[in-house]
Amino acid sequence: MTKPPHAGSADVAAARLRSIPEASVARLAVYLRMLGELAEQGAETVSSDELAAATGVNPAKLRKDLSYIGSYGIRGVGYEIAALVRQLERTLGLDHLRAVALVGVGNLGHALAGYSGFGGRGFPVTALFDVDPDLVGIHINGIVVEHVRSIPQVCAERGVTIGMIATPGPAAQGVCDLLVSSGVRCILNFAPVVLQVPHEVEVRKVDLAVELQILAFHVARKHLAGQDAATVNGHIIEHASNGSGGMLP
Amino acid sequence: MTKPPHAGSADVAAARLRSIPEASVARLAVYLRMLGELAEQGAETVSSDELAAATGVNPAKLRKDLSYIGSYGIRGVGYEIAALVRQLERTLGLDHLRAVALVGVGNLGHALAGYSGFGGRGFPVTALFDVDPDLVGIHINGIVVEHVRSIPQVCAERGVTIGMIATPGPAAQGVCDLLVSSGVRCILNFAPVVLQVPHEVEVRKVDLAVELQILAFHVARKHLAGQDAATVNGHIIEHASNGSGGMLP
DNA sequence: GCAACTTTGTGCGTGCCTTCACAAGCGACT
DNA sequence: AGTCGCTTGTGAAGGCACGCACAAAGTTGC
Ligand SMILES: NC(=O)c1ccc[n+]([C@@H]2O[C@H](COP(=O)([O-])OP(=O)(O)OC[C@H]3O[C@@H](n4cnc5c(N)ncnc54)[C@H](O)[C@@H]3O)[C@@H](O)[C@H]2O)c1
Ligand SMILES: NC(=O)c1ccc[n+]([C@@H]2O[C@H](COP(=O)([O-])OP(=O)(O)OC[C@H]3O[C@@H](n4cnc5c(N)ncnc54)[C@H](O)[C@@H]3O)[C@@H](O)[C@H]2O)c1
């Protein structure tokens, strides 16, 4: 295959990066966190079956995911956790910190700004922006909120590589343009709008209303699937809110 | 095909629900929101090309998505927005409200509880839970925070069908079990743990750290992909913030 | 040193999703 | 009324992802 008999050089890693399926990247991040927990509990090695069970994926899929990053497990034993963690961090680009800027320090923005899970995982929130004069100037977690117009300057100074947008929907595109013009190429968007960006910019959207709607769809589907499932637990209330919608033949 | 010459009957919808691809459901929700905006702006019809451009998807994919819900556009014209919205809402199960319970009213939970985007879209947050005695009893947006131990009773009383978990990671599984035993079959989980649930329960996880790691991976990939992409546009800044490749010590 | 057992890495079939391309249908204009 | 242009709906093909199943490779026990 494309895999040379010996690995570890930088260009091998570079070649692999291009070919890791997006879906696998998402799972690798989950494995990484679980491995961290296992390491804390004192485990030294872990088998694909164990790790798969803990993360809720198929063991074969997990092994295939890990094979993309060229990490070598030990047959008959499993994976050495410490080495695997190192390898995963390198592959995911976590071997150096990524400064994050957060724009929009409202309800959601406050929660995000105060969240330790970002900095603790290599994504220090390094800059905060808003337009509200009442917010500009205050400190959150030791970081001062700056005015949006400072985005280009501050992002450049602090080497921001990732932007998070938590403004109201109508403001999001403008903020996004500002970030992009400041050199930010990766954006995590919480506003319920589809951002238009140049092709070289990567946007991921966190859309909670959509998540709920997907769940609601499944609720509806379960309804239509019939009563058999509904009585499994014996006392499902099922909340038959109306008579016209639930038409079951 | 499976499509009868005339549609609109309820069992046709029922049959279709089962066969809509998961990926399409997620996009349908996005179309729905965009259609709402278009309607507000006074538009009466929209073509697949316009709607696709606005939501950032391929026009053919959009038409196929819409074909799953059996909505009929008008050839040569486009889709009648009002009718399409109605049809989408029926399909996604938005024709009746889905009561939502939120467990964990900390930083993130406060933002979620105060967010009007849920109730406004058919997902009223109807119950709040926490274990912190300082929080139990306070009101947020007119809803009183109850103790976690009341979950079964309150969820049953208020017909909760969807649960959101915003507790610390270690508490999430226990909370999840409580929700499930109360009849909640759909869960949106913000805690960074993989929940174990019976197969009939649907869990969706919102994992922001993973989102950032996916973005970080793309940052790394762009770096390694080389300069060719960086010069495509002629004046990409590439933000050579420091000589060592953007890593902060 | 050998045999039995365990676990990795992956080739391969299967099914889903995406995308192209085009026929069919509808309205507008002459 | 007929024709032209535009848009939908979908057949078909390609690509991607998933998961099975097994050979290769290592460990443990004797
Ligand atoms: N609160 C939630 O739980 C939640 C959930 C899902 C999605 N969202 C989305 O996240 C976004 C923020 O939600 P929120 O509840 O925090 O709203 P919010 O109104 O509390 O906060 C928005 C903040 O953005 C600031 N802002 C407005 N225009 C700006 C601009 N041009 N540049 C910079 N900052 C600007 C405001 O001053 C305010 O501080 C919204 O788009 C919302 O739809 C929020
Ligand atoms: N704050 C963020 O922006 C953010 C971002 C991503 C993920 N998260 C995740 O969301 C979760 C909540 O984050 P947070 O920042 O709000 O934390 P937090 O500590 O501010 O809030 C947690 C809340 O859960 C309550 N709680 C603890 N144990 C409970 C139990 N057994 N039952 C019910 N409630 C319980 C606590 O009393 C507290 O009010 C965490 O798992 C965190 O990793 C938060």
Side-chain angles (χ1 to χ4, degrees), chain A residues 108-118, chain B residues 103-110 129-133 135 148 151 165-172 174-175 189-193 206-209:
Chain A
L108 181 59
H110 260 92
L112 294 173
Y115 183 45
S116 61
F118 296 149
Chain B
V103 189
V105 193
N107 286 321
L108 181 59
H110 260 92
F129 301 99
D130 207 299
V131 284
D132 188 335
L135 289 172
V148 173
I151 285 179
I165 299 180
T167 65
V175 162
N189 177 32
F190 292 88
V193 294
V206 175
D207 194 325
L208 303 187

mmCIF file of all heavy atoms in Angstrom, chain A residues 108-118, chain B residues 103-110 129-133 135 148 151 165-172 174-175 189-193 206-209, ligand 2:
data_model
loop_
_atom_site.group_PDB
_atom_site.id
_atom_site.type_symbol
_atom_site.label_atom_id
_atom_site.label_comp_id
_atom_site.label_asym_id
_atom_site.label_seq_id
_atom_site.Cartn_x
_atom_site.Cartn_y
_atom_site.Cartn_z
ATOM 1 N N LEU A 108 -24.632 32.789 25.757
ATOM 2 C CA LEU A 108 -23.832 31.649 25.354
ATOM 3 C C LEU A 108 -22.349 31.979 25.423
ATOM 4 O O LEU A 108 -21.546 31.186 25.916
ATOM 5 C CB LEU A 108 -24.222 31.228 23.932
ATOM 6 C CG LEU A 108 -23.482 30.027 23.384
ATOM 7 C CD1 LEU A 108 -23.704 28.801 24.264
ATOM 8 C CD2 LEU A 108 -23.946 29.736 21.962
ATOM 9 N N GLY A 109 -21.989 33.155 24.947
ATOM 10 C CA GLY A 109 -20.593 33.560 24.943
ATOM 11 C C GLY A 109 -19.972 33.540 26.327
ATOM 12 O O GLY A 109 -18.838 33.106 26.498
ATOM 13 N N HIS A 110 -20.716 33.985 27.315
ATOM 14 C CA HIS A 110 -20.207 33.937 28.683
ATOM 15 C C HIS A 110 -19.862 32.507 29.093
ATOM 16 O O HIS A 110 -18.814 32.249 29.668
ATOM 17 C CB HIS A 110 -21.239 34.521 29.642
ATOM 18 C CG HIS A 110 -20.947 35.924 30.047
ATOM 19 N ND1 HIS A 110 -21.456 37.002 29.371
ATOM 20 C CD2 HIS A 110 -20.158 36.424 31.040
ATOM 21 C CE1 HIS A 110 -21.022 38.115 29.939
ATOM 22 N NE2 HIS A 110 -20.230 37.797 30.952
ATOM 23 N N ALA A 111 -20.773 31.608 28.800
ATOM 24 C CA ALA A 111 -20.525 30.208 29.172
ATOM 25 C C ALA A 111 -19.285 29.687 28.462
ATOM 26 O O ALA A 111 -18.436 29.022 29.066
ATOM 27 C CB ALA A 111 -21.745 29.348 28.833
ATOM 28 N N LEU A 112 -19.175 30.012 27.202
ATOM 29 C CA LEU A 112 -18.031 29.516 26.434
ATOM 30 C C LEU A 112 -16.732 30.122 26.954
ATOM 31 O O LEU A 112 -15.717 29.424 27.094
ATOM 32 C CB LEU A 112 -18.210 29.860 24.955
ATOM 33 C CG LEU A 112 -19.367 29.154 24.245
ATOM 34 C CD1 LEU A 112 -19.544 29.713 22.841
ATOM 35 C CD2 LEU A 112 -19.130 27.654 24.187
ATOM 36 N N ALA A 113 -16.778 31.426 27.223
ATOM 37 C CA ALA A 113 -15.563 32.102 27.667
ATOM 38 C C ALA A 113 -15.084 31.542 28.997
ATOM 39 O O ALA A 113 -13.888 31.478 29.266
ATOM 40 C CB ALA A 113 -15.811 33.600 27.786
ATOM 41 N N GLY A 114 -16.020 31.136 29.823
ATOM 42 C CA GLY A 114 -15.647 30.638 31.133
ATOM 43 C C GLY A 114 -15.370 29.155 31.187
ATOM 44 O O GLY A 114 -15.061 28.615 32.241
ATOM 45 N N TYR A 115 -15.455 28.512 30.051
ATOM 46 C CA TYR A 115 -15.337 27.052 30.031
ATOM 47 C C TYR A 115 -13.868 26.648 30.048
ATOM 48 O O TYR A 115 -13.091 27.059 29.185
ATOM 49 C CB TYR A 115 -16.024 26.510 28.790
ATOM 50 C CG TYR A 115 -16.036 25.013 28.682
ATOM 51 C CD1 TYR A 115 -16.357 24.220 29.775
ATOM 52 C CD2 TYR A 115 -15.738 24.379 27.485
ATOM 53 C CE1 TYR A 115 -16.382 22.844 29.668
ATOM 54 C CE2 TYR A 115 -15.763 23.003 27.362
ATOM 55 C CZ TYR A 115 -16.088 22.240 28.467
ATOM 56 O OH TYR A 115 -16.113 20.873 28.358
ATOM 57 N N SER A 116 -13.512 25.826 31.005
ATOM 58 C CA SER A 116 -12.112 25.422 31.123
ATOM 59 C C SER A 116 -11.759 24.278 30.174
ATOM 60 O O SER A 116 -10.593 23.963 29.981
ATOM 61 C CB SER A 116 -11.817 24.996 32.557
ATOM 62 O OG SER A 116 -12.643 23.886 32.891
ATOM 63 N N GLY A 117 -12.774 23.667 29.616
ATOM 64 C CA GLY A 117 -12.515 22.509 28.751
ATOM 65 C C GLY A 117 -11.777 22.866 27.470
ATOM 66 O O GLY A 117 -11.182 21.989 26.833
ATOM 67 N N PHE A 118 -11.802 24.119 27.087
ATOM 68 C CA PHE A 118 -11.093 24.509 25.866
ATOM 69 C C PHE A 118 -9.597 24.669 26.126
ATOM 70 O O PHE A 118 -8.777 23.980 25.523
ATOM 71 C CB PHE A 118 -11.667 25.811 25.309
ATOM 72 C CG PHE A 118 -13.087 25.703 24.867
ATOM 73 C CD1 PHE A 118 -13.948 26.782 24.948
ATOM 74 C CD2 PHE A 118 -13.585 24.506 24.346
ATOM 75 C CE1 PHE A 118 -15.263 26.686 24.527
ATOM 76 C CE2 PHE A 118 -14.899 24.397 23.931
ATOM 77 C CZ PHE A 118 -15.736 25.497 24.022
ATOM 78 N N VAL B 103 -31.205 19.327 32.359
ATOM 79 C CA VAL B 103 -30.596 18.927 33.627
ATOM 80 C C VAL B 103 -29.193 19.509 33.719
ATOM 81 O O VAL B 103 -28.370 19.289 32.823
ATOM 82 C CB VAL B 103 -30.514 17.394 33.752
ATOM 83 C CG1 VAL B 103 -30.084 17.008 35.152
ATOM 84 C CG2 VAL B 103 -31.843 16.753 33.393
ATOM 85 N N GLY B 104 -28.940 20.249 34.791
ATOM 86 C CA GLY B 104 -27.643 20.897 34.968
ATOM 87 C C GLY B 104 -27.724 22.364 34.589
ATOM 88 O O GLY B 104 -27.598 22.716 33.421
ATOM 89 N N VAL B 105 -27.959 23.209 35.581
ATOM 90 C CA VAL B 105 -28.166 24.626 35.301
ATOM 91 C C VAL B 105 -26.935 25.409 35.732
ATOM 92 O O VAL B 105 -27.018 26.323 36.544
ATOM 93 C CB VAL B 105 -29.436 25.140 36.019
ATOM 94 C CG1 VAL B 105 -29.826 26.499 35.482
ATOM 95 C CG2 VAL B 105 -30.586 24.165 35.792
ATOM 96 N N GLY B 106 -25.796 25.032 35.196
ATOM 97 C CA GLY B 106 -24.551 25.753 35.487
ATOM 98 C C GLY B 106 -24.332 26.832 34.450
ATOM 99 O O GLY B 106 -25.275 27.489 34.015
ATOM 100 N N ASN B 107 -23.076 27.034 34.072
ATOM 101 C CA ASN B 107 -22.770 28.070 33.082
ATOM 102 C C ASN B 107 -23.510 27.825 31.790
ATOM 103 O O ASN B 107 -24.260 28.661 31.301
ATOM 104 C CB ASN B 107 -21.262 28.079 32.800
ATOM 105 C CG ASN B 107 -20.485 28.694 33.944
ATOM 106 O OD1 ASN B 107 -20.933 29.677 34.532
ATOM 107 N ND2 ASN B 107 -19.351 28.108 34.263
ATOM 108 N N LEU B 108 -23.280 26.667 31.242
ATOM 109 C CA LEU B 108 -23.913 26.347 29.967
ATOM 110 C C LEU B 108 -25.421 26.221 30.129
ATOM 111 O O LEU B 108 -26.196 26.728 29.316
ATOM 112 C CB LEU B 108 -23.324 25.046 29.417
ATOM 113 C CG LEU B 108 -23.860 24.598 28.076
ATOM 114 C CD1 LEU B 108 -23.625 25.660 27.014
ATOM 115 C CD2 LEU B 108 -23.199 23.286 27.656
ATOM 116 N N GLY B 109 -25.831 25.551 31.185
ATOM 117 C CA GLY B 109 -27.257 25.342 31.405
ATOM 118 C C GLY B 109 -28.026 26.654 31.491
ATOM 119 O O GLY B 109 -29.131 26.767 30.956
ATOM 120 N N HIS B 110 -27.451 27.655 32.150
ATOM 121 C CA HIS B 110 -28.113 28.954 32.222
ATOM 122 C C HIS B 110 -28.350 29.526 30.831
ATOM 123 O O HIS B 110 -29.426 30.031 30.525
ATOM 124 C CB HIS B 110 -27.259 29.928 33.050
ATOM 125 C CG HIS B 110 -27.736 30.092 34.447
ATOM 126 N ND1 HIS B 110 -27.268 29.326 35.497
ATOM 127 C CD2 HIS B 110 -28.663 30.920 34.989
ATOM 128 C CE1 HIS B 110 -27.859 29.688 36.609
ATOM 129 N NE2 HIS B 110 -28.722 30.658 36.338
ATOM 130 N N PHE B 129 -33.553 21.052 36.080
ATOM 131 C CA PHE B 129 -33.138 20.246 37.225
ATOM 132 C C PHE B 129 -31.679 20.516 37.575
ATOM 133 O O PHE B 129 -30.868 20.799 36.689
ATOM 134 C CB PHE B 129 -33.299 18.757 36.924
ATOM 135 C CG PHE B 129 -34.694 18.346 36.581
ATOM 136 C CD1 PHE B 129 -35.078 18.182 35.258
ATOM 137 C CD2 PHE B 129 -35.624 18.122 37.581
ATOM 138 C CE1 PHE B 129 -36.361 17.801 34.927
ATOM 139 C CE2 PHE B 129 -36.930 17.735 37.257
ATOM 140 C CZ PHE B 129 -37.294 17.572 35.940
ATOM 141 N N ASP B 130 -31.373 20.398 38.862
ATOM 142 C CA ASP B 130 -29.989 20.491 39.314
ATOM 143 C C ASP B 130 -29.920 19.823 40.689
ATOM 144 O O ASP B 130 -30.946 19.492 41.274
ATOM 145 C CB ASP B 130 -29.530 21.952 39.379
ATOM 146 C CG ASP B 130 -28.022 22.080 39.183
ATOM 147 O OD1 ASP B 130 -27.271 21.516 40.007
ATOM 148 O OD2 ASP B 130 -27.590 22.711 38.205
ATOM 149 N N VAL B 131 -28.694 19.629 41.181
ATOM 150 C CA VAL B 131 -28.535 19.112 42.539
ATOM 151 C C VAL B 131 -28.092 20.197 43.505
ATOM 152 O O VAL B 131 -28.205 20.033 44.714
ATOM 153 C CB VAL B 131 -27.490 17.972 42.617
ATOM 154 C CG1 VAL B 131 -28.065 16.689 42.071
ATOM 155 C CG2 VAL B 131 -26.199 18.352 41.915
ATOM 156 N N ASP B 132 -27.573 21.289 42.969
ATOM 157 C CA ASP B 132 -27.041 22.341 43.815
ATOM 158 C C ASP B 132 -28.174 23.012 44.597
ATOM 159 O O ASP B 132 -29.089 23.571 44.007
ATOM 160 C CB ASP B 132 -26.329 23.374 42.932
ATOM 161 C CG ASP B 132 -25.577 24.408 43.746
ATOM 162 O OD1 ASP B 132 -25.953 24.633 44.912
ATOM 163 O OD2 ASP B 132 -24.607 24.976 43.209
ATOM 164 N N PRO B 133 -28.112 22.969 45.942
ATOM 165 C CA PRO B 133 -29.200 23.554 46.743
ATOM 166 C C PRO B 133 -29.363 25.049 46.495
ATOM 167 O O PRO B 133 -30.452 25.590 46.672
ATOM 168 C CB PRO B 133 -28.740 23.318 48.195
ATOM 169 C CG PRO B 133 -27.591 22.383 48.120
ATOM 170 C CD PRO B 133 -27.031 22.402 46.758
ATOM 171 N N LEU B 135 -29.243 26.412 43.679
ATOM 172 C CA LEU B 135 -29.952 26.600 42.412
ATOM 173 C C LEU B 135 -31.387 26.105 42.493
ATOM 174 O O LEU B 135 -32.293 26.712 41.914
ATOM 175 C CB LEU B 135 -29.214 25.850 41.287
ATOM 176 C CG LEU B 135 -27.874 26.463 40.866
ATOM 177 C CD1 LEU B 135 -27.130 25.543 39.905
ATOM 178 C CD2 LEU B 135 -28.102 27.821 40.210
ATOM 179 N N VAL B 148 -32.957 17.090 41.143
ATOM 180 C CA VAL B 148 -32.827 15.982 40.206
ATOM 181 C C VAL B 148 -33.721 14.807 40.583
ATOM 182 O O VAL B 148 -34.229 14.085 39.722
ATOM 183 C CB VAL B 148 -31.360 15.523 40.140
ATOM 184 C CG1 VAL B 148 -31.224 14.279 39.313
ATOM 185 C CG2 VAL B 148 -30.501 16.628 39.572
ATOM 186 N N ILE B 151 -37.025 14.231 38.856
ATOM 187 C CA ILE B 151 -37.079 14.042 37.406
ATOM 188 C C ILE B 151 -38.218 13.121 36.964
ATOM 189 O O ILE B 151 -39.027 13.494 36.103
ATOM 190 C CB ILE B 151 -35.712 13.534 36.869
ATOM 191 C CG1 ILE B 151 -34.694 14.680 36.841
ATOM 192 C CG2 ILE B 151 -35.862 12.961 35.462
ATOM 193 C CD1 ILE B 151 -33.324 14.278 36.358
ATOM 194 N N ILE B 165 -28.756 17.302 28.655
ATOM 195 C CA ILE B 165 -27.877 17.099 29.797
ATOM 196 C C ILE B 165 -26.716 18.072 29.728
ATOM 197 O O ILE B 165 -25.936 18.046 28.774
ATOM 198 C CB ILE B 165 -27.358 15.645 29.830
ATOM 199 C CG1 ILE B 165 -28.530 14.677 29.969
ATOM 200 C CG2 ILE B 165 -26.351 15.453 30.958
ATOM 201 C CD1 ILE B 165 -28.121 13.216 30.005
ATOM 202 N N ALA B 166 -26.625 18.943 30.732
ATOM 203 C CA ALA B 166 -25.533 19.923 30.794
ATOM 204 C C ALA B 166 -24.900 19.885 32.170
ATOM 205 O O ALA B 166 -24.602 20.920 32.765
ATOM 206 C CB ALA B 166 -26.041 21.320 30.464
ATOM 207 N N THR B 167 -24.698 18.698 32.665
ATOM 208 C CA THR B 167 -24.021 18.520 33.952
ATOM 209 C C THR B 167 -22.536 18.241 33.690
ATOM 210 O O THR B 167 -22.150 18.012 32.550
ATOM 211 C CB THR B 167 -24.592 17.299 34.689
ATOM 212 O OG1 THR B 167 -24.290 16.121 33.940
ATOM 213 C CG2 THR B 167 -26.095 17.400 34.831
ATOM 214 N N PRO B 168 -21.725 18.247 34.725
ATOM 215 C CA PRO B 168 -20.347 17.784 34.543
ATOM 216 C C PRO B 168 -20.335 16.344 34.044
ATOM 217 O O PRO B 168 -21.281 15.580 34.286
ATOM 218 C CB PRO B 168 -19.750 17.891 35.947
ATOM 219 C CG PRO B 168 -20.596 18.912 36.641
ATOM 220 C CD PRO B 168 -21.976 18.746 36.073
ATOM 221 N N GLY B 169 -19.262 15.988 33.393
ATOM 222 C CA GLY B 169 -19.154 14.660 32.798
ATOM 223 C C GLY B 169 -19.502 13.516 33.731
ATOM 224 O O GLY B 169 -20.346 12.674 33.395
ATOM 225 N N PRO B 170 -18.901 13.476 34.921
ATOM 226 C CA PRO B 170 -19.125 12.316 35.790
ATOM 227 C C PRO B 170 -20.585 12.117 36.183
ATOM 228 O O PRO B 170 -20.991 11.005 36.492
ATOM 229 C CB PRO B 170 -18.276 12.650 37.022
ATOM 230 C CG PRO B 170 -17.228 13.590 36.519
ATOM 231 C CD PRO B 170 -17.895 14.393 35.451
ATOM 232 N N ALA B 171 -21.366 13.201 36.197
ATOM 233 C CA ALA B 171 -22.764 13.077 36.618
ATOM 234 C C ALA B 171 -23.689 12.690 35.472
ATOM 235 O O ALA B 171 -24.839 12.320 35.697
ATOM 236 C CB ALA B 171 -23.242 14.392 37.238
ATOM 237 N N ALA B 172 -23.185 12.765 34.262
ATOM 238 C CA ALA B 172 -24.079 12.656 33.105
ATOM 239 C C ALA B 172 -24.748 11.285 32.998
ATOM 240 O O ALA B 172 -25.950 11.201 32.734
ATOM 241 C CB ALA B 172 -23.302 12.962 31.825
ATOM 242 N N GLY B 174 -25.536 9.077 35.243
ATOM 243 C CA GLY B 174 -26.592 8.904 36.224
ATOM 244 C C GLY B 174 -27.839 9.682 35.858
ATOM 245 O O GLY B 174 -28.967 9.169 35.934
ATOM 246 N N VAL B 175 -27.645 10.908 35.440
ATOM 247 C CA VAL B 175 -28.761 11.738 35.013
ATOM 248 C C VAL B 175 -29.463 11.109 33.811
ATOM 249 O O VAL B 175 -30.695 11.069 33.730
ATOM 250 C CB VAL B 175 -28.246 13.145 34.658
ATOM 251 C CG1 VAL B 175 -29.257 13.880 33.813
ATOM 252 C CG2 VAL B 175 -27.906 13.919 35.923
ATOM 253 N N ASN B 189 -26.879 15.545 24.602
ATOM 254 C CA ASN B 189 -25.863 15.505 25.652
ATOM 255 C C ASN B 189 -24.727 16.471 25.380
ATOM 256 O O ASN B 189 -24.085 16.404 24.339
ATOM 257 C CB ASN B 189 -25.309 14.075 25.748
ATOM 258 C CG ASN B 189 -24.199 13.965 26.774
ATOM 259 O OD1 ASN B 189 -24.209 14.674 27.777
ATOM 260 N ND2 ASN B 189 -23.253 13.084 26.522
ATOM 261 N N PHE B 190 -24.480 17.372 26.347
ATOM 262 C CA PHE B 190 -23.373 18.325 26.216
ATOM 263 C C PHE B 190 -22.162 17.899 27.023
ATOM 264 O O PHE B 190 -21.099 18.510 26.889
ATOM 265 C CB PHE B 190 -23.818 19.710 26.692
ATOM 266 C CG PHE B 190 -24.838 20.344 25.797
ATOM 267 C CD1 PHE B 190 -26.186 20.106 25.994
ATOM 268 C CD2 PHE B 190 -24.454 21.152 24.741
ATOM 269 C CE1 PHE B 190 -27.142 20.676 25.162
ATOM 270 C CE2 PHE B 190 -25.402 21.731 23.914
ATOM 271 C CZ PHE B 190 -26.750 21.491 24.117
ATOM 272 N N ALA B 191 -22.306 16.902 27.854
ATOM 273 C CA ALA B 191 -21.173 16.479 28.672
ATOM 274 C C ALA B 191 -20.234 15.613 27.830
ATOM 275 O O ALA B 191 -20.686 14.855 26.975
ATOM 276 C CB ALA B 191 -21.671 15.684 29.877
ATOM 277 N N PRO B 192 -18.962 15.755 28.078
ATOM 278 C CA PRO B 192 -17.988 15.032 27.251
ATOM 279 C C PRO B 192 -17.829 13.583 27.668
ATOM 280 O O PRO B 192 -16.733 13.147 28.002
ATOM 281 C CB PRO B 192 -16.706 15.837 27.476
ATOM 282 C CG PRO B 192 -16.854 16.400 28.839
ATOM 283 C CD PRO B 192 -18.330 16.636 29.049
ATOM 284 N N VAL B 193 -18.899 12.859 27.648
ATOM 285 C CA VAL B 193 -18.837 11.424 27.933
ATOM 286 C C VAL B 193 -19.744 10.699 26.948
ATOM 287 O O VAL B 193 -20.666 11.290 26.391
ATOM 288 C CB VAL B 193 -19.318 11.095 29.367
ATOM 289 C CG1 VAL B 193 -18.378 11.679 30.398
ATOM 290 C CG2 VAL B 193 -20.731 11.592 29.579
ATOM 291 N N VAL B 206 -23.337 16.881 21.651
ATOM 292 C CA VAL B 206 -22.722 18.122 21.188
ATOM 293 C C VAL B 206 -21.407 18.248 21.924
ATOM 294 O O VAL B 206 -21.381 18.440 23.135
ATOM 295 C CB VAL B 206 -23.622 19.336 21.472
ATOM 296 C CG1 VAL B 206 -22.910 20.622 21.085
ATOM 297 C CG2 VAL B 206 -24.930 19.206 20.726
ATOM 298 N N ASP B 207 -20.327 18.105 21.195
ATOM 299 C CA ASP B 207 -19.018 18.036 21.834
ATOM 300 C C ASP B 207 -18.138 19.126 21.243
ATOM 301 O O ASP B 207 -17.516 18.974 20.196
ATOM 302 C CB ASP B 207 -18.414 16.661 21.613
ATOM 303 C CG ASP B 207 -17.230 16.418 22.534
ATOM 304 O OD1 ASP B 207 -16.493 17.382 22.814
ATOM 305 O OD2 ASP B 207 -17.045 15.273 22.968
ATOM 306 N N LEU B 208 -18.085 20.253 21.949
ATOM 307 C CA LEU B 208 -17.400 21.412 21.387
ATOM 308 C C LEU B 208 -15.902 21.203 21.297
ATOM 309 O O LEU B 208 -15.261 21.678 20.359
ATOM 310 C CB LEU B 208 -17.720 22.642 22.231
ATOM 311 C CG LEU B 208 -19.221 22.920 22.349
ATOM 312 C CD1 LEU B 208 -19.456 24.234 23.048
ATOM 313 C CD2 LEU B 208 -19.876 22.921 20.985
ATOM 314 N N ALA B 209 -15.343 20.488 22.260
ATOM 315 C CA ALA B 209 -13.901 20.252 22.196
ATOM 316 C C ALA B 209 -13.568 19.442 20.951
ATOM 317 O O ALA B 209 -12.555 19.683 20.280
ATOM 318 C CB ALA B 209 -13.429 19.521 23.454
HETATM 319 N N1 LIG E 2 -19.607 25.923 29.629
HETATM 320 C C1 LIG E 2 -19.388 25.611 28.370
HETATM 321 O O1 LIG E 2 -19.254 26.475 27.530
HETATM 322 C C2 LIG E 2 -19.310 24.208 27.937
HETATM 323 C C3 LIG E 2 -18.874 23.942 26.664
HETATM 324 C C4 LIG E 2 -18.814 22.626 26.225
HETATM 325 C C5 LIG E 2 -19.167 21.625 27.076
HETATM 326 N N2 LIG E 2 -19.584 21.893 28.309
HETATM 327 C C6 LIG E 2 -19.981 20.776 29.152
HETATM 328 O O2 LIG E 2 -21.246 21.036 29.658
HETATM 329 C C7 LIG E 2 -21.334 20.558 30.972
HETATM 330 C C8 LIG E 2 -21.726 21.680 31.877
HETATM 331 O O3 LIG E 2 -20.758 22.707 31.782
HETATM 332 P P1 LIG E 2 -20.858 23.988 32.697
HETATM 333 O O4 LIG E 2 -19.767 24.894 32.274
HETATM 334 O O5 LIG E 2 -22.221 24.500 32.694
HETATM 335 O O6 LIG E 2 -20.496 23.381 34.121
HETATM 336 P P2 LIG E 2 -20.974 23.943 35.521
HETATM 337 O O7 LIG E 2 -20.118 23.316 36.544
HETATM 338 O O8 LIG E 2 -21.040 25.435 35.472
HETATM 339 O O9 LIG E 2 -22.450 23.448 35.675
HETATM 340 C C9 LIG E 2 -22.759 22.137 35.989
HETATM 341 C C10 LIG E 2 -24.072 22.119 36.733
HETATM 342 O O10 LIG E 2 -24.490 20.781 36.887
HETATM 343 C C11 LIG E 2 -24.936 20.625 38.213
HETATM 344 N N3 LIG E 2 -24.809 19.228 38.578
HETATM 345 C C12 LIG E 2 -23.731 18.572 39.053
HETATM 346 N N4 LIG E 2 -24.029 17.290 39.289
HETATM 347 C C13 LIG E 2 -25.308 17.127 38.952
HETATM 348 C C14 LIG E 2 -26.181 16.023 38.971
HETATM 349 N N5 LIG E 2 -25.781 14.821 39.370
HETATM 350 N N6 LIG E 2 -27.438 16.202 38.561
HETATM 351 C C15 LIG E 2 -27.838 17.407 38.147
HETATM 352 N N7 LIG E 2 -27.060 18.489 38.107
HETATM 353 C C16 LIG E 2 -25.806 18.344 38.507
HETATM 354 C C17 LIG E 2 -24.102 21.529 39.032
HETATM 355 O O11 LIG E 2 -24.779 21.849 40.220
HETATM 356 C C18 LIG E 2 -23.938 22.718 38.105
HETATM 357 O O12 LIG E 2 -24.976 23.623 38.297
HETATM 358 C C19 LIG E 2 -19.998 19.982 31.316
HETATM 359 O O13 LIG E 2 -20.025 18.587 31.103
HETATM 360 C C20 LIG E 2 -19.083 20.625 30.331
HETATM 361 O O14 LIG E 2 -18.003 19.769 30.016
HETATM 362 C C21 LIG E 2 -19.661 23.176 28.762
#
